[in-house]
Amino acid sequence: MKKNGKLIAAAIVVAALAILFAGVWHFTRPSVSQGSKTVTVEVVHKDESKKTFTYHTDAEYLGEVIQAEGLVKGEEGDYGLYIKEVDGETADYDTDGAYWAFYQGGEYASLSVDQTPIQDGDAFSLVYTVG
């Protein structure tokens, strides 16, 4: 009987923790903005030349926009879209350690482009980076 009581108590604790974590995630997740938005994406190429793209969209996530517009190409990875090509230029990490760094508002982004919600006026950068 004591074993069953301990198992039930442990199950209740695990369920309570799961509910708590789900609640924290729900209230702290990045918010999405619905409706028309204008966002800019600056691309810094290997030769350090810069190009700025402006998009007007109803999409909720940046990845939707820049993939539909053909700005980026990549493949799904464990952490979201892994960008391999931007504006026709490929970064090949396996060859020379190059990759496309993703910045939001001047700071290194914490999410992949396909998981990053957009708000009207947001500014992003994709920078060819080696190392």
Side-chain angles (χ1 to χ4, degrees):
M1 273 301 195
K2 281 189 172 186
K3 264 190 172 178
N4 286 341
K6 286 183 179 181
L7 286 175
I8 292 172
I12 291 171
V13 168
V14 168
L17 286 172
I19 292 169
L20 176 66
F21 288 133
V24 168
W25 175 82
H26 177 74
F27 290 108
T28 60
R29 69 180 178 198
S31 62
V32 295
S33 174
Q34 298 191 359
S36 182
K37 301 170 264 306
T38 300
V39 297
T40 59
V41 180
E42 180 182 62
V43 176
V44 180
H45 288 278
K46 181 179 183 176
D47 66 2
E48 298 184 12
S49 63
K50 297 178 182 180
K51 240 174 154 179
T52 301
F53 299 84
T54 302
Y55 299 108
H56 305 282
T57 183
D58 290 333
E60 295 178 348
Y61 295 92
L62 181 63
E64 297 173 58
V65 179
I66 60 178
Q67 283 182 295
E69 295 290 332
L71 181 62
V72 301
K73 293 180 184 173
E75 56 190 41
E76 285 300 316
D78 292 338
Y79 304 104
L81 180 68
Y82 177 68
I83 297 173
K84 292 191 162 207
E85 181 181 312
V86 176
D87 192 30
E89 182 171 18
T90 300
D92 187 355
Y93 190 82
D94 294 331
T95 301
D96 60 2
Y99 65 96
W100 288 100
F102 173 50
Y103 294 88
Q104 180 176 12
E107 296 188 19
Y108 202 80
S110 59
L111 299 170
S112 66
V113 295
D114 56 331
Q115 298 171 348
T116 299
I118 54 177
Q119 306 284 329
D120 187 41
D122 278 351
F124 303 95
S125 299
L126 292 164
V127 179
Y128 187 96
T129 305
V130 178

